[in-house]
mmCIF file with all atom_site columns, all heavy atoms in Angstrom:
data_model
loop_
_atom_site.group_PDB
_atom_site.id
_atom_site.type_symbol
_atom_site.label_atom_id
_atom_site.label_alt_id
_atom_site.label_comp_id
_atom_site.label_asym_id
_atom_site.label_entity_id
_atom_site.label_seq_id
_atom_site.pdbx_PDB_ins_code
_atom_site.Cartn_x
_atom_site.Cartn_y
_atom_site.Cartn_z
_atom_site.occupancy
_atom_site.B_iso_or_equiv
_atom_site.pdbx_formal_charge
_atom_site.auth_seq_id
_atom_site.auth_comp_id
_atom_site.auth_asym_id
_atom_site.auth_atom_id
_atom_site.pdbx_PDB_model_num
ATOM 1   N N   . PRO A 1 12  ? -86.664  74.626 36.545 1.00 0.00 ? 40  PRO A N   1
ATOM 2   C CA  . PRO A 1 12  ? -86.704  76.010 37.014 1.00 0.00 ? 40  PRO A CA  1
ATOM 3   C C   . PRO A 1 12  ? -86.230  76.128 38.456 1.00 0.00 ? 40  PRO A C   1
ATOM 4   O O   . PRO A 1 12  ? -86.480  75.245 39.284 1.00 0.00 ? 40  PRO A O   1
ATOM 5   C CB  . PRO A 1 12  ? -88.192  76.386 36.892 1.00 0.00 ? 40  PRO A CB  1
ATOM 6   C CG  . PRO A 1 12  ? -88.752  75.412 35.906 1.00 0.00 ? 40  PRO A CG  1
ATOM 7   C CD  . PRO A 1 12  ? -87.982  74.146 36.109 1.00 0.00 ? 40  PRO A CD  1
ATOM 8   N N   . PRO A 1 40  ? -71.562  62.155 29.965 1.00 0.00 ? 68  PRO A N   1
ATOM 9   C CA  . PRO A 1 40  ? -72.364  62.028 28.747 1.00 0.00 ? 68  PRO A CA  1
ATOM 10  C C   . PRO A 1 40  ? -71.476  61.837 27.514 1.00 0.00 ? 68  PRO A C   1
ATOM 11  O O   . PRO A 1 40  ? -70.416  62.463 27.407 1.00 0.00 ? 68  PRO A O   1
ATOM 12  C CB  . PRO A 1 40  ? -73.125  63.358 28.678 1.00 0.00 ? 68  PRO A CB  1
ATOM 13  C CG  . PRO A 1 40  ? -72.260  64.320 29.425 1.00 0.00 ? 68  PRO A CG  1
ATOM 14  C CD  . PRO A 1 40  ? -71.592  63.525 30.512 1.00 0.00 ? 68  PRO A CD  1
ATOM 15  N N   . THR A 1 55  ? -69.589  78.448 41.546 1.00 0.00 ? 83  THR A N   1
ATOM 16  C CA  . THR A 1 55  ? -70.001  77.299 40.762 1.00 0.00 ? 83  THR A CA  1
ATOM 17  C C   . THR A 1 55  ? -71.000  76.451 41.546 1.00 0.00 ? 83  THR A C   1
ATOM 18  O O   . THR A 1 55  ? -70.814  76.183 42.727 1.00 0.00 ? 83  THR A O   1
ATOM 19  C CB  . THR A 1 55  ? -68.778  76.439 40.403 1.00 0.00 ? 83  THR A CB  1
ATOM 20  O OG1 . THR A 1 55  ? -67.843  77.244 39.694 1.00 0.00 ? 83  THR A OG1 1
ATOM 21  C CG2 . THR A 1 55  ? -69.184  75.257 39.535 1.00 0.00 ? 83  THR A CG2 1
ATOM 22  N N   . TYR A 1 66  ? -78.836  51.978 52.956 1.00 0.00 ? 94  TYR A N   1
ATOM 23  C CA  . TYR A 1 66  ? -77.956  50.968 53.550 1.00 0.00 ? 94  TYR A CA  1
ATOM 24  C C   . TYR A 1 66  ? -76.632  50.900 52.804 1.00 0.00 ? 94  TYR A C   1
ATOM 25  O O   . TYR A 1 66  ? -75.574  50.726 53.404 1.00 0.00 ? 94  TYR A O   1
ATOM 26  C CB  . TYR A 1 66  ? -78.642  49.596 53.537 1.00 0.00 ? 94  TYR A CB  1
ATOM 27  C CG  . TYR A 1 66  ? -79.917  49.559 54.330 1.00 0.00 ? 94  TYR A CG  1
ATOM 28  C CD1 . TYR A 1 66  ? -81.133  49.874 53.739 1.00 0.00 ? 94  TYR A CD1 1
ATOM 29  C CD2 . TYR A 1 66  ? -79.910  49.226 55.676 1.00 0.00 ? 94  TYR A CD2 1
ATOM 30  C CE1 . TYR A 1 66  ? -82.309  49.856 54.469 1.00 0.00 ? 94  TYR A CE1 1
ATOM 31  C CE2 . TYR A 1 66  ? -81.077  49.208 56.419 1.00 0.00 ? 94  TYR A CE2 1
ATOM 32  C CZ  . TYR A 1 66  ? -82.282  49.524 55.807 1.00 0.00 ? 94  TYR A CZ  1
ATOM 33  O OH  . TYR A 1 66  ? -83.440  49.518 56.531 1.00 0.00 ? 94  TYR A OH  1
ATOM 34  N N   . ALA A 1 95  ? -69.328  71.761 65.057 1.00 0.00 ? 123 ALA A N   1
ATOM 35  C CA  . ALA A 1 95  ? -70.589  72.493 65.201 1.00 0.00 ? 123 ALA A CA  1
ATOM 36  C C   . ALA A 1 95  ? -71.430  72.389 63.924 1.00 0.00 ? 123 ALA A C   1
ATOM 37  O O   . ALA A 1 95  ? -72.656  72.229 63.981 1.00 0.00 ? 123 ALA A O   1
ATOM 38  C CB  . ALA A 1 95  ? -70.308  73.960 65.521 1.00 0.00 ? 123 ALA A CB  1
ATOM 39  N N   . ILE A 1 97  ? -71.386  69.928 61.744 1.00 0.00 ? 125 ILE A N   1
ATOM 40  C CA  . ILE A 1 97  ? -71.920  68.569 61.660 1.00 0.00 ? 125 ILE A CA  1
ATOM 41  C C   . ILE A 1 97  ? -73.164  68.442 62.546 1.00 0.00 ? 125 ILE A C   1
ATOM 42  O O   . ILE A 1 97  ? -74.176  67.854 62.154 1.00 0.00 ? 125 ILE A O   1
ATOM 43  C CB  . ILE A 1 97  ? -70.850  67.540 62.062 1.00 0.00 ? 125 ILE A CB  1
ATOM 44  C CG1 . ILE A 1 97  ? -69.757  67.477 60.985 1.00 0.00 ? 125 ILE A CG1 1
ATOM 45  C CG2 . ILE A 1 97  ? -71.462  66.161 62.281 1.00 0.00 ? 125 ILE A CG2 1
ATOM 46  C CD1 . ILE A 1 97  ? -68.549  66.655 61.378 1.00 0.00 ? 125 ILE A CD1 1
ATOM 47  N N   . ALA A 1 108 ? -77.338  65.986 67.593 1.00 0.00 ? 136 ALA A N   1
ATOM 48  C CA  . ALA A 1 108 ? -75.912  66.217 67.358 1.00 0.00 ? 136 ALA A CA  1
ATOM 49  C C   . ALA A 1 108 ? -75.060  65.067 67.894 1.00 0.00 ? 136 ALA A C   1
ATOM 50  O O   . ALA A 1 108 ? -74.025  64.725 67.315 1.00 0.00 ? 136 ALA A O   1
ATOM 51  C CB  . ALA A 1 108 ? -75.488  67.540 67.996 1.00 0.00 ? 136 ALA A CB  1
ATOM 52  N N   . ILE A 1 128 ? -79.306  62.652 53.473 1.00 0.00 ? 156 ILE A N   1
ATOM 53  C CA  . ILE A 1 128 ? -79.772  63.998 53.134 1.00 0.00 ? 156 ILE A CA  1
ATOM 54  C C   . ILE A 1 128 ? -78.845  65.044 53.748 1.00 0.00 ? 156 ILE A C   1
ATOM 55  O O   . ILE A 1 128 ? -78.501  66.038 53.102 1.00 0.00 ? 156 ILE A O   1
ATOM 56  C CB  . ILE A 1 128 ? -81.226  64.192 53.606 1.00 0.00 ? 156 ILE A CB  1
ATOM 57  C CG1 . ILE A 1 128 ? -82.164  63.256 52.825 1.00 0.00 ? 156 ILE A CG1 1
ATOM 58  C CG2 . ILE A 1 128 ? -81.659  65.644 53.439 1.00 0.00 ? 156 ILE A CG2 1
ATOM 59  C CD1 . ILE A 1 128 ? -83.591  63.226 53.347 1.00 0.00 ? 156 ILE A CD1 1
ATOM 60  N N   . SER A 1 146 ? -88.058  54.873 48.293 1.00 0.00 ? 174 SER A N   1
ATOM 61  C CA  . SER A 1 146 ? -88.555  53.574 47.834 1.00 0.00 ? 174 SER A CA  1
ATOM 62  C C   . SER A 1 146 ? -88.090  52.417 48.717 1.00 0.00 ? 174 SER A C   1
ATOM 63  O O   . SER A 1 146 ? -88.731  51.364 48.748 1.00 0.00 ? 174 SER A O   1
ATOM 64  C CB  . SER A 1 146 ? -88.136  53.322 46.385 1.00 0.00 ? 174 SER A CB  1
ATOM 65  O OG  . SER A 1 146 ? -86.728  53.253 46.276 1.00 0.00 ? 174 SER A OG  1
ATOM 66  N N   . LEU A 1 163 ? -87.122  71.378 53.721 1.00 0.00 ? 191 LEU A N   1
ATOM 67  C CA  . LEU A 1 163 ? -85.783  71.824 53.327 1.00 0.00 ? 191 LEU A CA  1
ATOM 68  C C   . LEU A 1 163 ? -85.841  72.677 52.064 1.00 0.00 ? 191 LEU A C   1
ATOM 69  O O   . LEU A 1 163 ? -85.133  73.687 51.960 1.00 0.00 ? 191 LEU A O   1
ATOM 70  C CB  . LEU A 1 163 ? -84.874  70.616 53.104 1.00 0.00 ? 191 LEU A CB  1
ATOM 71  C CG  . LEU A 1 163 ? -84.502  69.805 54.353 1.00 0.00 ? 191 LEU A CG  1
ATOM 72  C CD1 . LEU A 1 163 ? -83.762  68.534 53.954 1.00 0.00 ? 191 LEU A CD1 1
ATOM 73  C CD2 . LEU A 1 163 ? -83.647  70.642 55.297 1.00 0.00 ? 191 LEU A CD2 1
ATOM 74  N N   . PHE A 1 173 ? -86.473  64.820 41.177 1.00 0.00 ? 201 PHE A N   1
ATOM 75  C CA  . PHE A 1 173 ? -86.932  63.702 42.005 1.00 0.00 ? 201 PHE A CA  1
ATOM 76  C C   . PHE A 1 173 ? -87.259  62.515 41.112 1.00 0.00 ? 201 PHE A C   1
ATOM 77  O O   . PHE A 1 173 ? -88.175  62.571 40.291 1.00 0.00 ? 201 PHE A O   1
ATOM 78  C CB  . PHE A 1 173 ? -88.169  64.152 42.790 1.00 0.00 ? 201 PHE A CB  1
ATOM 79  C CG  . PHE A 1 173 ? -88.604  63.221 43.876 1.00 0.00 ? 201 PHE A CG  1
ATOM 80  C CD1 . PHE A 1 173 ? -88.081  63.333 45.152 1.00 0.00 ? 201 PHE A CD1 1
ATOM 81  C CD2 . PHE A 1 173 ? -89.556  62.241 43.632 1.00 0.00 ? 201 PHE A CD2 1
ATOM 82  C CE1 . PHE A 1 173 ? -88.493  62.490 46.175 1.00 0.00 ? 201 PHE A CE1 1
ATOM 83  C CE2 . PHE A 1 173 ? -89.973  61.387 44.635 1.00 0.00 ? 201 PHE A CE2 1
ATOM 84  C CZ  . PHE A 1 173 ? -89.444  61.515 45.909 1.00 0.00 ? 201 PHE A CZ  1
ATOM 85  N N   . VAL A 1 174 ? -86.483  61.437 41.238 1.00 0.00 ? 202 VAL A N   1
ATOM 86  C CA  . VAL A 1 174 ? -86.730  60.211 40.477 1.00 0.00 ? 202 VAL A CA  1
ATOM 87  C C   . VAL A 1 174 ? -87.632  59.317 41.321 1.00 0.00 ? 202 VAL A C   1
ATOM 88  O O   . VAL A 1 174 ? -87.371  59.106 42.507 1.00 0.00 ? 202 VAL A O   1
ATOM 89  C CB  . VAL A 1 174 ? -85.410  59.487 40.158 1.00 0.00 ? 202 VAL A CB  1
ATOM 90  C CG1 . VAL A 1 174 ? -85.681  58.166 39.446 1.00 0.00 ? 202 VAL A CG1 1
ATOM 91  C CG2 . VAL A 1 174 ? -84.521  60.375 39.297 1.00 0.00 ? 202 VAL A CG2 1
ATOM 92  N N   . CYS A 1 185 ? -94.213  67.121 43.587 1.00 0.00 ? 213 CYS A N   1
ATOM 93  C CA  . CYS A 1 185 ? -93.518  67.712 42.432 1.00 0.00 ? 213 CYS A CA  1
ATOM 94  C C   . CYS A 1 185 ? -94.373  68.706 41.646 1.00 0.00 ? 213 CYS A C   1
ATOM 95  O O   . CYS A 1 185 ? -95.576  68.513 41.472 1.00 0.00 ? 213 CYS A O   1
ATOM 96  C CB  . CYS A 1 185 ? -93.031  66.605 41.504 1.00 0.00 ? 213 CYS A CB  1
ATOM 97  S SG  . CYS A 1 185 ? -91.967  65.412 42.360 1.00 0.00 ? 213 CYS A SG  1
ATOM 98  N N   . MET A 1 191 ? -90.625  58.961 31.119 1.00 0.00 ? 219 MET A N   1
ATOM 99  C CA  . MET A 1 191 ? -89.622  58.367 30.238 1.00 0.00 ? 219 MET A CA  1
ATOM 100 C C   . MET A 1 191 ? -89.971  56.924 29.892 1.00 0.00 ? 219 MET A C   1
ATOM 101 O O   . MET A 1 191 ? -90.575  56.203 30.689 1.00 0.00 ? 219 MET A O   1
ATOM 102 C CB  . MET A 1 191 ? -88.235  58.411 30.888 1.00 0.00 ? 219 MET A CB  1
ATOM 103 C CG  . MET A 1 191 ? -87.624  59.793 30.960 1.00 0.00 ? 219 MET A CG  1
ATOM 104 S SD  . MET A 1 191 ? -85.915  59.751 31.598 1.00 0.00 ? 219 MET A SD  1
ATOM 105 C CE  . MET A 1 191 ? -85.068  58.857 30.277 1.00 0.00 ? 219 MET A CE  1
ATOM 106 N N   . LEU A 1 193 ? -87.834  53.787 27.650 1.00 0.00 ? 221 LEU A N   1
ATOM 107 C CA  . LEU A 1 193 ? -86.709  53.311 26.847 1.00 0.00 ? 221 LEU A CA  1
ATOM 108 C C   . LEU A 1 193 ? -85.713  54.435 26.518 1.00 0.00 ? 221 LEU A C   1
ATOM 109 O O   . LEU A 1 193 ? -85.255  54.589 25.392 1.00 0.00 ? 221 LEU A O   1
ATOM 110 C CB  . LEU A 1 193 ? -87.221  52.660 25.562 1.00 0.00 ? 221 LEU A CB  1
ATOM 111 C CG  . LEU A 1 193 ? -86.363  51.511 25.006 1.00 0.00 ? 221 LEU A CG  1
ATOM 112 C CD1 . LEU A 1 193 ? -86.362  50.344 25.989 1.00 0.00 ? 221 LEU A CD1 1
ATOM 113 C CD2 . LEU A 1 193 ? -86.870  51.051 23.655 1.00 0.00 ? 221 LEU A CD2 1
ATOM 114 N N   . LEU A 1 234 ? -103.983 47.816 30.073 1.00 0.00 ? 262 LEU A N   1
ATOM 115 C CA  . LEU A 1 234 ? -102.951 46.787 30.144 1.00 0.00 ? 262 LEU A CA  1
ATOM 116 C C   . LEU A 1 234 ? -102.117 46.803 28.870 1.00 0.00 ? 262 LEU A C   1
ATOM 117 O O   . LEU A 1 234 ? -102.650 46.670 27.765 1.00 0.00 ? 262 LEU A O   1
ATOM 118 C CB  . LEU A 1 234 ? -103.588 45.409 30.338 1.00 0.00 ? 262 LEU A CB  1
ATOM 119 C CG  . LEU A 1 234 ? -104.363 45.208 31.648 1.00 0.00 ? 262 LEU A CG  1
ATOM 120 C CD1 . LEU A 1 234 ? -105.029 43.840 31.651 1.00 0.00 ? 262 LEU A CD1 1
ATOM 121 C CD2 . LEU A 1 234 ? -103.444 45.352 32.839 1.00 0.00 ? 262 LEU A CD2 1
ATOM 122 N N   . ILE A 1 239 ? -90.822  45.236 27.537 1.00 0.00 ? 267 ILE A N   1
ATOM 123 C CA  . ILE A 1 239 ? -90.056  46.399 27.090 1.00 0.00 ? 267 ILE A CA  1
ATOM 124 C C   . ILE A 1 239 ? -88.963  45.911 26.141 1.00 0.00 ? 267 ILE A C   1
ATOM 125 O O   . ILE A 1 239 ? -88.231  44.978 26.466 1.00 0.00 ? 267 ILE A O   1
ATOM 126 C CB  . ILE A 1 239 ? -89.427  47.127 28.288 1.00 0.00 ? 267 ILE A CB  1
ATOM 127 C CG1 . ILE A 1 239 ? -90.511  47.590 29.264 1.00 0.00 ? 267 ILE A CG1 1
ATOM 128 C CG2 . ILE A 1 239 ? -88.599  48.316 27.817 1.00 0.00 ? 267 ILE A CG2 1
ATOM 129 C CD1 . ILE A 1 239 ? -89.957  48.232 30.509 1.00 0.00 ? 267 ILE A CD1 1
ATOM 130 N N   . CYS A 1 262 ? -96.139  54.620 12.481 1.00 0.00 ? 290 CYS A N   1
ATOM 131 C CA  . CYS A 1 262 ? -95.372  54.763 13.723 1.00 0.00 ? 290 CYS A CA  1
ATOM 132 C C   . CYS A 1 262 ? -94.031  54.046 13.637 1.00 0.00 ? 290 CYS A C   1
ATOM 133 O O   . CYS A 1 262 ? -93.109  54.361 14.390 1.00 0.00 ? 290 CYS A O   1
ATOM 134 C CB  . CYS A 1 262 ? -96.167  54.230 14.909 1.00 0.00 ? 290 CYS A CB  1
ATOM 135 S SG  . CYS A 1 262 ? -97.713  55.126 15.242 1.00 0.00 ? 290 CYS A SG  1
ATOM 136 N N   . ALA A 1 263 ? -93.911  53.075 12.738 1.00 0.00 ? 291 ALA A N   1
ATOM 137 C CA  . ALA A 1 263 ? -92.667  52.332 12.598 1.00 0.00 ? 291 ALA A CA  1
ATOM 138 C C   . ALA A 1 263 ? -91.625  53.085 11.789 1.00 0.00 ? 291 ALA A C   1
ATOM 139 O O   . ALA A 1 263 ? -90.437  52.763 11.847 1.00 0.00 ? 291 ALA A O   1
ATOM 140 C CB  . ALA A 1 263 ? -92.939  50.977 11.952 1.00 0.00 ? 291 ALA A CB  1
#
Side-chain angles (χ1 to χ4, degrees):
T83 302
Y94 299 89
I125 290 171
I156 295 172
S174 63
L191 292 172
F201 191 88
V202 176
C213 304
M219 288 185 66
L221 211 65
L262 296 175
I267 301 176
C290 297

